[in-house]
């Protein structure tokens, strides 16, 4: 029986895919009588099946060596594309995480989208996400990883563009698609360049190849840079981070999923590619640089936001930056651990603020206040999520951060300082959000704010429970560092920076706070509030260039290329119009023409 | 060296006829120029028949035919001019430019 579940692991993505198809008949134009809700229930059922299957397969797999499945997808001259599956505790565990988070997010959406008629589209896309991500973590081939990344990019476009009658949604979905697409396209260059070098796209075989590969440094560097471009866009790293900010225009339940797991798909591919990236020290240094820049920059931006969803979305970028740093220094295990704890924490944070936004309507932090006494469960959820995300208490992310510190302190102290700084800044920003929403005096928008109904409350409390159990789970899996190897001064430093950030923000924002707090000059504050004016930078640089270039090319096509062809037609018309005047109507002129013709022919004959 | 002089005279007559043909404004003068052309041709035929074919004189036979056909042609030409004149009350060639582009 256990063997059966292992052999049919490929069903896990299929359940979600079937759910995606089954949801569609409840689109408003197809089944008109029942309303859209059955599509949600069908998908909850299919996701539960996927979760159950994943759990059974995981328990069957526990303590066993990983094994692989392989299907032949396409065989043409000289190219054999196989669809490889790697079935290990890690990959099946990842599908359990994805299906579990998706189940909770879908249940949350049952409450959140209560007054929405577009369930079929929403649940279908959520299921597509789940299918894509489960397939991504199970597949062991770079080529198919790329395919699933692209499917997820399309899914992001459609899901962010869910309420497409809002203009900001349309631009946000556009930016999300194009930004991620650019990264994916560069990734495709890397993927295509890798095949002639390595002869395989299988991750396991790539790792074996990379051990003995002897590449020219420049080739390895360019290859690695192309390969990290895809995850850069996916993980919303500088300078491709704007899309995640604008993707916050989509519905909250999808944000739960996106910020916890979809964004981490890039990190997953990055972790899998680490042996290839390690071929070039330049690539690893770039990874660390981008990760460090994003980690600090996004953490600072998050502090300066007034929109609650955006304040959290930048901390996603920031933590993905830490994952980049971890991969850039070769610590893939820590990176995966960080992705795991971050997913739990962000899902919980987004559920909590989703529950708050749902019946307080505004997303503006300046209009919130004093919800703690009336929204205790949402507040506790936020606190637990924040504590899981930052290294303050020994919850969740504390442990991967400790391991990062342990590793960096002896080799690269400045990266240890970076981790501590990001920890402090994130603690500050999350406490600020908490203080502005739950602390202080009540504002108009939050004066009557009841706790939400059970479909939102249940996933929130379940998630809180999971987040509290993460350290126990990690201890059970023996993923925690042993007590003897723990450097207590570093652990203390981590807790102290977290406490410092929390304390500072708590002092500033929790009590009767001033209307708005000014740090430094106004331009300094706005520099972070407008996320480094990245939108303007895009518009001037890439968008401007492509825009001008495409206008020019369009002009060339319209006037030069079309013009040449049209000119021949016009010249023919014009010559006809002019030459007809040779028919003068005077017979004597005709006679003269005859004579001149004869003369000419005569002269020619004479010669 | 007699033949060349006749031929030169005939061609001179022909050219004068051509000149008159394309420059005259009066339609009757155009017909007169055409007559001049015929006569230049006839002079050619007669001189060729005299100097090159004095036994069979086929050129003279040709010339007789040309004269008769030219007479008939001139009669039809004058008839056409008369019918145009009845409609348009002019014989100016430059007034007959209705059939143009």
């Amino acid at each position: 029986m256990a063997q059966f579940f292992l052999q049919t692991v490929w069903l896990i993505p299929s359940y979600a895919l079937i759910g995606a198809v089954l949801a569609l008949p409840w689109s408003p134009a197809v089944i008109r009588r029942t309303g859209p809700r059955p599509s949600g229930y069908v998908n909850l059922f299919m996701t539960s099946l996927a979760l159950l299957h994943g759990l059974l397969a995981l328990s069957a797999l526990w303590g066993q060596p990983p094994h692989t499945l392989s299907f032949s997808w396409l065989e043409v001259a000289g190219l054999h594309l196989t669809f490889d599956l790697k079935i290990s505790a890690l990959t099946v565990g990842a599908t359990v995480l994805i299906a579990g988070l998706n189940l909770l997010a879908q249940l949350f959406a049952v409450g959140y989208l209560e007054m929405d008629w577009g369930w079929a589209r929403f649940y279908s896309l959520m299921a597509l996400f789940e299918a894509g991500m489960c397939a991504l973590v199970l597949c062991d081939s770079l080529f198919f990883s790329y395919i699933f990344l692209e499917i997820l990019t399309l899914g992001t476009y459609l899901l962010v563009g869910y309420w497409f009658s809002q203009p900001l949604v349309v631009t946000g979905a556009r930016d999300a698609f194009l930004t991620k697409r650019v990264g994916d396209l560069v990734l495709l260059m890397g993927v295509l360049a890798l095949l002639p070098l390595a002869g395989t796209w299988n991750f396991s075989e790539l790792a074996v190849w990379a051990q003995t590969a002897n590449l020219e440094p420049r080739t390895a560097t360019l290859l690695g840079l192309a390969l990290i471009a895809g995850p850069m866009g996916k993980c919303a790293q500088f300078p491709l981070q704007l899309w995640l900010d604008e993707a916050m225009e989509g519905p909250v339940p999808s944000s739960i999923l996106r910020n916890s797991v979809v964004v981490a798909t890039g990190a997953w591919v990055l972790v899998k590619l680490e042996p290839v990236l390690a071929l070039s020290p330049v690539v690893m240094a770039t990874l660390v640089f981008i990760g460090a820049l994003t980690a600090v920059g996004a953490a600072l931006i998050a502090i300066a936001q007034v929109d609650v969803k955006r304040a959290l979305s930048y901390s996603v970028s920031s933590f993905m930056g830490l994952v980049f740093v971890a991969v850039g220094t070769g610590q893939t295990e820590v990176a995966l651990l960080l992705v795991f704890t971050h997913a739990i924490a962000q899902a919980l944070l987004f559920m909590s603020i989703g529950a708050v936004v749902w019946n307080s309507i505004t997303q503006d932090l300046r209009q919130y206040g004093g919800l703690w006494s009336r929204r205790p469960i949402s507040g506790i959820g936020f606190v637990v999520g924040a504590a899981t995300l930052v290294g303050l208490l020994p919850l969740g992310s504390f442990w991967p951060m400790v391991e990062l510190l342990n590793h960096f302190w002896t080799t690269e102290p400045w990266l240890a300082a970076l981790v501590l700084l990001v920890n402090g800044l994130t603690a500050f920003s999350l406490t600020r959000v908490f203080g502005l929403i739950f602390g202080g005096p009540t504002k108009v928008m939050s004066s009557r704010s009841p706790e939400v109904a059970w479909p939102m409350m249940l996933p929130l409390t379940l998630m809180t429970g999971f987040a509290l159990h993460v350290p126990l789970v990690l201890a059970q899996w023996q993923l925690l560092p042993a007590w003897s190897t723990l450097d207590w001064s570093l652990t203390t430093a981590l807790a102290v920076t977290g406490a410092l950030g929390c304390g500072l923000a708590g002092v500033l924002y929790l009590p009767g706070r001033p209307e708005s707090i000014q740090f430094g000059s106004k331009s300094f504050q706005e520099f972070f509030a407008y996320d480094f004016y990245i939108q303007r930078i895009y518009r001037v640089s890439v968008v401007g260039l492509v825009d001008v270039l495409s206008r020019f090319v369009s002009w060339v096509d319209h006037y030069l290329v079309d013009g040449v062809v049209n000119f021949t037609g016009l010249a023919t018309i014009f010559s006809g119009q002019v030459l007809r005047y040779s028919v003068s109507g005077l017979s004597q002129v005709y006679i003269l023409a005859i004579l001149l013709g004869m003369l000419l022919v005569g002269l020619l004959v004479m010669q | 060296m007699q033949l060349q002089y006749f031929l030169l005279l005939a061609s001179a007559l022909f050219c004068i006829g051509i000149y008159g043909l394309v420059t005259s404004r009066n339609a009757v003068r155009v017909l007169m120029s055409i007559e001049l052309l015929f006569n230049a041709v006839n002079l050619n035929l007669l001189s060729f028949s005299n100097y090159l074919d004095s036994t069979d004189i086929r050129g003279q036979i040709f010339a007789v035919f040309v004269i008769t056909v030219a007479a008939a042609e001139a009669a039809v030409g004058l008839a056409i001019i008369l019918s145009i004149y009845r409609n348009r009350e002019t014989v100016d060639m430059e007034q007959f430019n209705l059939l143009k582009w």
Side-chain angles (χ1 to χ4, degrees):
Chain A
M1 198 61 193
Q3 205 55 36
F4 171 76
F5 285 118
L6 280 186
Q7 286 300 321
T8 55
V9 142
W10 52 270
L11 273 173
I12 295 178
S14 310
Y15 294 128
L17 210 55
I18 293 167
V21 176
L22 286 183
L24 288 176
W26 281 279
S27 302
V30 185
I31 297 181
R32 291 161 185 267
R33 309 199 73 124
T34 61
R37 300 184 76 92
S39 61
Y41 304 145
V42 165
N43 268 294
L44 280 170
F45 175 69
M46 295 314 280
T47 307
S48 310
L49 276 188
L51 180 62
L52 197 66
H53 192 140
L55 282 171
L56 289 171
L58 186 61
S59 65
L61 198 62
W62 200 251
Q64 303 226 350
H67 64 274
T68 55
L69 284 178
S70 186
F71 307 96
S72 181
W73 188 60
L74 177 68
E75 204 160 345
V76 288
L79 180 66
H80 188 193
L81 289 180
T82 52
F83 186 71
D84 301 318
L85 291 179
K86 186 175 188 184
I87 300 162
S88 67
L90 177 65
T91 57
V92 177
T95 63
V96 169
L97 177 70
I98 291 162
L101 284 174
N102 200 31
L103 183 66
L104 292 182
Q106 286 184 342
L107 185 58
F108 191 88
V110 168
Y112 194 89
L113 294 180
E114 195 187 345
M115 303 188 191
D116 197 285
W117 47 264
W119 283 35
R121 212 149 38 90
F122 179 81
Y123 278 96
S124 184
L125 289 170
M126 288 287 269
L128 179 70
F129 260 130
E130 186 195 338
M133 280 189 291
C134 287
L136 176 73
V137 293
L138 285 175
C139 90
D140 195 29
S141 153
L142 179 58
F143 180 71
F144 283 96
S145 295
Y146 171 77
I147 288 181
F148 295 130
L149 284 185
E150 286 291 9
I151 291 174
L152 292 179
T153 302
L154 178 65
T156 306
Y157 176 71
L158 296 172
L159 199 47
V160 174
Y162 177 59
W163 289 313
F164 50 78
S165 52
Q166 300 177 11
L168 281 178
V169 165
V170 177
T171 55
R174 176 200 66 192
D175 291 353
F177 184 73
L178 291 180
T179 314
K180 298 215 288 185
R181 196 82 182 77
V182 166
D184 286 346
L185 267 183
V186 181
L187 174 65
L188 180 61
M189 294 182 202
V191 170
L192 291 180
L194 192 55
L195 187 65
L197 294 172
T200 175
W201 275 325
N202 186 299
F203 282 124
S204 316
E205 290 169 23
L206 279 177
V208 174
W209 166 77
Q211 282 170 356
T212 56
N214 191 15
L215 281 186
E216 198 199 334
R218 200 190 304 162
T219 314
T221 305
L222 288 176
L223 176 71
L225 288 179
L227 289 176
I228 66 173
M232 250 172 75
K234 274 279 166 206
C235 290
Q237 298 294 295
F238 275 135
L240 301 177
Q241 91 284 20
L242 179 67
W243 73 267
L244 190 61
D245 173 276
E246 292 187 81
M248 292 299 115
E249 298 291 343
V252 173
S254 64
S255 303
I256 295 172
L257 199 64
R258 176 169 49 249
N259 288 288
S260 54
V261 265
V262 177
V263 165
T265 53
W268 178 271
V269 173
L270 201 64
V271 167
K272 288 251 184 178
L273 281 174
E274 196 270 343
V276 179
L277 301 180
L279 287 174
S280 161
V282 179
V283 172
M284 295 302 254
T286 314
L287 265 182
V288 171
F289 175 73
I290 291 172
L293 190 67
T294 314
V296 177
L300 285 170
I301 292 171
I303 292 174
Q305 295 299 309
V306 292
D307 184 306
V308 54
K309 288 173 80 179
R310 288 178 162 78
L312 292 185
S313 86
Y314 277 104
S315 72
V316 173
S317 284
S318 173
F319 267 74
M320 286 300 125
L322 285 187
V323 173
F324 266 55
V325 171
V327 176
T329 48
Q331 304 180 73
T332 51
E333 304 249 319
V334 184
L336 285 176
L337 197 57
L338 194 57
V339 166
F340 170 67
T341 58
H342 168 265
I344 301 275
Q346 282 292 352
L348 182 52
L349 286 172
F350 266 91
M351 279 184 189
S352 164
I353 62 131
V356 171
V357 167
W358 189 72
N359 54 12
S360 301
I361 300 166
T362 179
Q363 293 183 22
D364 193 336
L365 282 171
R366 294 165 300 185
Q367 303 188 11
Y368 278 112
L371 286 183
W372 178 253
S373 56
R374 282 161 297 143
R375 308 291 299 269
I377 301 179
S378 302
I380 291 170
F382 192 94
V383 170
V384 172
T388 309
L389 192 61
V390 300
L392 172 61
L393 302 170
L395 281 172
S397 295
F398 186 76
W399 301 107
M401 280 180 152
V402 163
E403 288 193 35
L404 279 181
L405 280 182
N406 264 342
H407 182 82
F408 290 146
W409 192 246
T410 47
T411 52
E412 286 157 293
W414 72 275
L415 283 178
L418 173 92
V419 173
L420 290 176
L421 178 66
V422 170
N423 187 37
L425 290 174
T426 310
F428 185 93
S429 100
L430 290 178
T431 313
R432 169 178 171 270
V433 172
F434 178 81
L436 287 175
I437 293 181
F438 293 99
T442 304
K443 296 270 185 80
V444 177
M445 291 300 281
S446 59
S447 59
R448 287 192 207 121
S449 184
E451 199 62 281
V452 286
W454 71 269
M456 281 182 269
M457 223 56 298
L458 183 64
L460 174 58
T461 40
L462 281 177
M463 208 62 228
T464 313
F466 287 143
L468 288 172
H469 282 79
V470 163
L472 294 178
V473 171
L474 293 182
Q476 192 69 31
W477 291 347
Q478 290 158 359
L479 284 172
L480 296 187
W483 291 109
S484 54
T485 62
L486 220 54
D487 187 339
W488 285 103
S489 57
L490 290 177
T491 317
T492 319
L494 192 64
V496 164
T497 49
L500 211 61
C502 285
L504 203 58
V507 168
L508 280 173
Y509 289 99
L510 269 180
R513 64 214 147 78
E515 201 50 43
S516 62
I517 294 179
Q518 185 87 33
F519 292 107
S521 71
K522 193 170 169 58
S523 58
F524 173 78
Q525 200 168 356
E526 285 193 342
F527 180 65
F528 292 107
Y530 290 98
D531 37 313
F532 302 165
Y533 299 107
I534 190 80
Q535 199 161 11
R536 264 183 238 176
I537 295 173
Y538 280 168
R539 192 158 291 156
V540 171
S541 57
V542 179
V543 177
L545 192 68
V546 173
D547 186 39
V548 167
L549 208 62
S550 53
R551 275 170 207 278
F552 174 71
V553 169
S554 163
W555 182 88
V556 166
D557 180 55
H558 196 255
Y559 289 97
L560 294 191
V561 177
D562 286 6
V564 167
V565 180
N566 287 345
F567 176 75
T568 52
L570 278 177
T572 316
I573 290 174
F574 182 74
S575 56
Q577 290 287 343
V578 170
L579 287 177
R580 66 180 182 163
Y581 294 114
S582 60
V583 185
S584 59
L586 290 170
S587 48
Q588 287 167 303
V589 177
Y590 305 160
I591 293 169
L592 184 64
I594 292 168
L595 286 169
L596 288 177
M598 280 167 57
L599 204 63
L600 199 66
V601 173
L603 281 175
L604 285 174
V605 170
M606 289 294 182
Q607 283 172 358
Chain B
M1 290 297 283
Q2 293 295 309
L3 178 60
Q4 286 91 326
Y5 298 128
F6 283 102
L7 294 185
L8 279 175
L9 176 67
S11 57
L13 262 182
F14 192 87
C15 288
I16 292 165
I18 291 291
Y19 179 77
L21 182 67
V22 297
T23 53
S24 312
R25 291 185 66 177
N26 193 321
V28 180
R29 242 173 83 175
V30 172
L31 280 184
M32 288 165 66
S33 305
I34 291 173
E35 288 305 315
L36 214 48
L37 298 184
F38 284 129
N39 287 333
V41 171
N42 283 341
L43 193 54
N44 260 359
L45 290 172
L46 292 177
S47 46
F48 277 128
S49 105
N50 195 28
Y51 284 97
L52 302 180
D53 188 30
S54 50
T55 52
D56 283 350
I57 52 171
R58 275 168 295 198
Q60 295 187 18
I61 309 294
F62 281 166
V64 169
F65 275 93
V66 170
I67 288 164
T68 28
V69 172
E73 180 261 305
V76 174
L78 280 170
I80 290 171
I81 287 171
L82 199 59
S83 83
I84 291 175
Y85 177 75
R86 282 183 182 152
N87 281 319
R88 305 204 22 102
E89 301 191 337
T90 175
V91 289
D92 189 347
M93 289 296 280
E94 295 194 354
Q95 299 297 314
F96 302 154
N97 62 345
L98 301 173
L99 286 175
K100 59 187 174 187
W101 55 81

